[in-house]
Amino acid sequence: MNRDYEQIAEKFWSMRQKPGEEANRDRLFRDDQILHAHLEKEIESRLDGVRTVLDAGGGTGRFSVWLAQKGIQVTHLDISLPMLEKARERAEEAGVAGRIEFVHGRLTELAAYREGQFDLVISLDAPISYTYPKHEEVIRELIRVSARSVVFCVSSRLGGYPGHFGTASKKPFLVDEQDPDTAMRWYVREWEQREKWRPDFARADELLETGLFADPDTVYEQMKNGGTPWPVTYSFRPEELKALFDAEGLREVRLAGPGALARTLPGEALRMLMETPEYRAAFLERCYRFDSEPSVCGMGYCSLVASGSKG
């Protein structure tokens, strides 16, 4: 049966509270702060000579606005109209709306863009993973429309696997558990109900084998019945992503798992390192270096980052 799983992602990311939650991630979660810092550093390493960028699945403009502030012309593509509205609002507040073109569309529908149309193509915070079962095709298309380089952030299979064995994995990353944001309240409730949690070993094994957090057809039926479940998500192994890059002829390929170092630390140590001004920059620099080690890149908190150059 041919089902449009992207409908689930469009419905989920168009929920009323989602643009606000996304815009607040850096305030709410230390893992997002670490991921954001890593992605900025990785993108900056690919910016030489870049004048145009496609931000594919750009959400609320987390990186589009930042790049436009550098004088770059950005095409900001997203499946969610509310996300686009929030991104446009942020661009206007930053005074860079004139350097960003906002496009409502899907990552699976890039045929209108010509080969090499953009100097740099970025797709961050896992939108590629929400295009299952077309995720490999989407990666090839995103590489096709890039002239110089790409930076992608996808869901990590090995990084997400430990989450099946307890509810506490996010706890050390919560900045302020009293924050009224709806996303924070969700994680606090999850922690408060931890005694009711039971492991699902079969589901964990399925993730490791298939890369899917849940059965796609079950999730689709939940959506068709009026629910707003988490989108069908395909999670990559590092070697799988590397093979796709190699097959497209990319050079200087780098992979990383942001959060690999941070997740090994006790919550109080992580808080001190992230909130003490004289420690923060030095710690984030070492996160970048450690998390980019080949032996740990699959064990980032939830994300796998890959970048490469063409030509």
Side-chain angles (χ1 to χ4, degrees):
M1 184 180 299
N2 186 20
R3 288 182 160 177
D4 181 8
Y5 297 122
E6 276 185 288
Q7 286 183 340
I8 307 169
E10 182 169 9
K11 184 177 182 181
F12 182 85
W13 295 115
S14 297
M15 292 171 65
R16 181 182 56 82
Q17 72 272 26
K18 286 304 170 185
E21 290 180 356
E22 284 296 294
N24 288 333
R25 282 169 52 182
D26 281 344
R27 190 191 82 222
L28 298 173
F29 308 119
R30 295 188 184 90
D31 55 318
D32 280 292
Q33 295 171 9
I34 292 167
L35 175 61
H36 194 160
H38 187 108
L39 289 170
E40 282 195 354
K41 190 173 182 66
E42 191 62 31
I43 291 168
E44 285 177 332
S45 75
R46 305 284 184 179
L47 282 184
D48 187 34
V50 168
R51 293 176 297 176
T52 59
V53 171
L54 171 65
D55 188 353
T60 63
R62 199 178 192 194
F63 294 94
S64 293
V65 171
W66 171 68
L67 288 166
Q69 288 172 324
K70 295 178 177 292
I72 294 170
Q73 190 66 37
V74 181
T75 297
H76 178 112
L77 173 74
D78 202 87
I79 197 172
S80 163
L81 282 171
M83 290 286 184
L84 287 170
E85 292 169 4
K86 184 65 174 180
R88 186 179 290 108
E89 175 187 315
R90 295 176 76 180
E92 290 172 351
E93 290 174 354
V96 296
R99 287 200 288 272
I100 304 178
E101 178 188 6
F102 295 97
V103 180
H104 182 222
R106 295 183 170 197
L107 272 66
T108 53
E109 298 173 354
L110 301 177
Y113 297 120
R114 67 180 183 276
E115 183 174 348
Q117 182 166 338
F118 305 95
D119 293 328
L120 169 67
V121 173
I122 62 175
S123 185
L124 310 175
D125 298 333
I128 292 171
S129 287
Y130 305 141
T131 63
Y132 173 87
K134 300 178 181 179
H135 47 283
E136 292 188 7
E137 176 187 336
V138 166
I139 287 175
R140 288 191 288 268
E141 275 290 277
L142 290 170
I143 293 173
R144 177 185 68 81
V145 302
S146 167
R148 290 174 175 264
S149 53
V150 299
V151 180
F152 299 157
C153 177
V154 299
S155 179
S156 171
R157 188 178 310 193
L158 300 179
Y161 185 66
H164 283 271
F165 301 99
T167 60
S169 60
K170 190 76 169 181
K171 187 77 161 55
F173 295 109
L174 306 182
V175 173
D176 178 7
E177 294 180 27
Q178 303 307 313
D179 194 294
D181 186 276
T182 51
M184 177 63 73
R185 302 327 309 156
W186 189 91
Y187 283 108
V188 169
R189 286 195 300 272
E190 182 186 55
W191 171 249
E192 291 172 346
Q193 297 172 10
R194 62 192 181 279
E195 293 182 359
K196 299 178 181 179
W197 177 86
R198 296 294 181 271
D200 186 341
F201 295 111
R203 184 65 254 168
D205 292 344
E206 287 175 18
L207 168 62
L208 206 57
E209 180 179 350
T210 68
L212 295 168
F213 279 93
D215 174 66
D217 291 330
T218 299
V219 178
Y220 185 84
E221 289 302 322
Q222 290 174 349
M223 185 270 294
K224 294 298 287 185
N225 290 331
T228 50
W230 184 265
V232 173
T233 305
Y234 181 81
S235 299
F236 291 80
R237 293 177 180 271
E239 60 270 22
E240 176 185 11
L241 203 50
K242 175 68 162 54
L244 288 168
F245 275 34
D246 289 345
E248 297 304 308
L250 294 187
R251 300 180 297 105
E252 301 173 352
V253 175
R254 295 194 292 265
L255 289 93
L261 174 58
R263 76 187 309 176
T264 69
L265 303 174
E268 284 306 309
L270 185 59
R271 178 187 296 273
M272 179 188 68
L273 290 163
M274 291 293 289
E275 296 185 3
T276 306
E278 59 264 41
Y279 298 157
R280 183 182 174 95
F283 176 62
L284 288 173
E285 171 62 28
R286 283 153 182 81
C287 283
Y288 180 84
R289 283 157 42 189
F290 182 90
D291 296 348
S292 298
E293 288 285 339
S295 56
V296 301
C297 73
M299 283 301 293
Y301 181 66
C302 287
S303 299
L304 175 62
V305 174
S307 71
S309 298
K310 298 184 75 173

